[in-house]
Amino acid sequence: MRDSDIMEIRQLSLFDGMSDPHFDRLTRGAYVQTFPPQVDLIHEGDPCDFLHILFEGSVELFAHWNGRESTMALVRPVSTFILAATIRDAPYLMSARTLEKTRIVLLPSSDVRAVFDEDHAFARAVVAELAQCYRALVKSSKDIKLRSALERLANYLLRQRQRAGGAAAFTLPMEKRRLASYLGMTAENLSRAFKTLQPYGVEMDGAHVTISDPGDLITLAKPSVLIDDPAQ
């Protein structure tokens, strides 16, 4: 890896408290790779050989069962995936593919586990990240189980608006069929839900969304900090 890549990794909260010898040991077998869109990075059920760190682009995490596929999460920079499998030396529970040109750092899982056992600051950072992932999973489960499909879509759009800095217009980060899968809907139900949201100020033009009156949409969605706020 280039020195600039190593410095970029060092600045991440997962690694910034580590001792220099342990960090050097962790990164000695690491490498950086750039992938084009629609490349499968890992496969569900395979052994976890590397911890992936996403620096540029976006990655879809998805799973299969009985001939069906579902989008589980969308990973954005800068973040790791899939840390739990690395620490447990367990098979991947999800697959991953790139959605656009993507730059990823790969750290050998065996090195991650070895340093985890020896470096207390790194171990605490790993626990903190796993706790954050667990809470995100609970929020996702609450979103699916407690809200109707229309409420899930409305809250998703409000979260995307917030990520866009409160802009009235933004672009969906994934194509609609993947969005439907992520929200636990069929493509047809998603299309009907977008039409149902038109009286609440939601307009669609391809992948571009405009929310002309967020107040009406908020009244419908009833967002909760215990589901929708990533900081909680």
Side-chain angles (χ1 to χ4, degrees):
M1 290 193 302
R2 298 172 301 183
D3 289 343
S4 59
D5 294 324
I6 294 176
M7 290 179 61
E8 203 169 4
I9 296 173
R10 188 61 156 135
Q11 293 170 0
L12 298 179
S13 59
L14 189 61
F15 308 107
D16 64 358
M18 297 176 62
S19 70
D20 289 337
H22 285 146
F23 181 75
D24 293 342
R25 179 181 175 187
L26 182 63
T27 55
R28 67 187 176 188
Y31 62 96
V32 181
Q33 192 163 350
T34 300
F35 298 92
Q38 301 303 315
V39 170
D40 288 343
L41 301 171
I42 60 176
H43 295 91
E44 183 179 359
D46 283 354
C48 180
D49 296 324
F50 293 95
L51 174 64
H52 295 65
I53 307 174
L54 176 65
F55 273 101
E56 295 177 7
S58 58
V59 169
E60 176 193 13
L61 301 180
F62 62 99
H64 291 95
W65 184 81
N66 198 28
R68 294 189 289 272
E69 179 181 305
S70 180
T71 298
M72 306 298 291
L74 180 66
V75 184
R76 299 179 179 86
V78 174
S79 56
T80 63
F81 68 95
I82 303 174
L83 181 57
T86 292
I87 296 301
R88 288 185 54 83
D89 192 14
Y92 293 118
L93 296 181
M94 297 180 285
S95 301
R97 67 166 68 99
T98 60
L99 296 179
E100 55 187 308
K101 184 178 178 181
T102 300
R103 184 167 68 98
I104 292 176
V105 174
L106 296 101
L107 300 176
S109 293
S110 57
D111 292 341
V112 174
R113 288 191 294 273
V115 175
F116 176 83
D117 289 338
E118 299 175 10
D119 192 296
H120 294 169
F122 178 58
R124 286 193 295 270
V126 167
V127 170
E129 181 144 340
L130 290 174
Q132 182 179 358
C133 293
Y134 170 76
R135 291 179 67 82
L137 178 63
V138 172
K139 293 174 187 177
S140 177
S141 181
K142 290 170 69 176
D143 190 43
I144 292 290
K145 291 179 176 293
L146 297 176
R147 288 170 168 165
S148 68
L150 187 64
E151 290 168 338
R152 292 198 297 274
L153 176 59
N155 279 285
Y156 175 84
L157 294 177
L158 289 172
R159 292 194 298 271
Q160 294 305 311
R161 176 179 176 271
Q162 184 177 16
R163 290 192 178 103
F170 54 88
T171 301
L172 293 174
M174 65 180 90
E175 58 188 63
K176 290 180 183 177
R177 68 179 182 86
R178 286 196 173 97
L179 176 58
S181 176
Y182 175 69
L183 294 175
M185 305 165 66
T186 65
E188 294 77 12
N189 285 340
L190 179 67
S191 180
R192 286 194 291 268
F194 269 116
K195 291 179 180 178
T196 302
L197 291 179
Q198 288 177 354
Y200 296 91
V202 177
E203 299 177 10
M204 285 291 301
D205 182 10
H208 300 285
V209 180
T210 301
I211 301 177
S212 58
D213 190 347
D216 281 350
L217 191 60
I218 290 171
T219 298
L220 170 68
K222 299 179 179 63
S224 167
V225 295
L226 298 180
I227 299 177
D228 304 294
D229 187 350
Q232 296 294 325

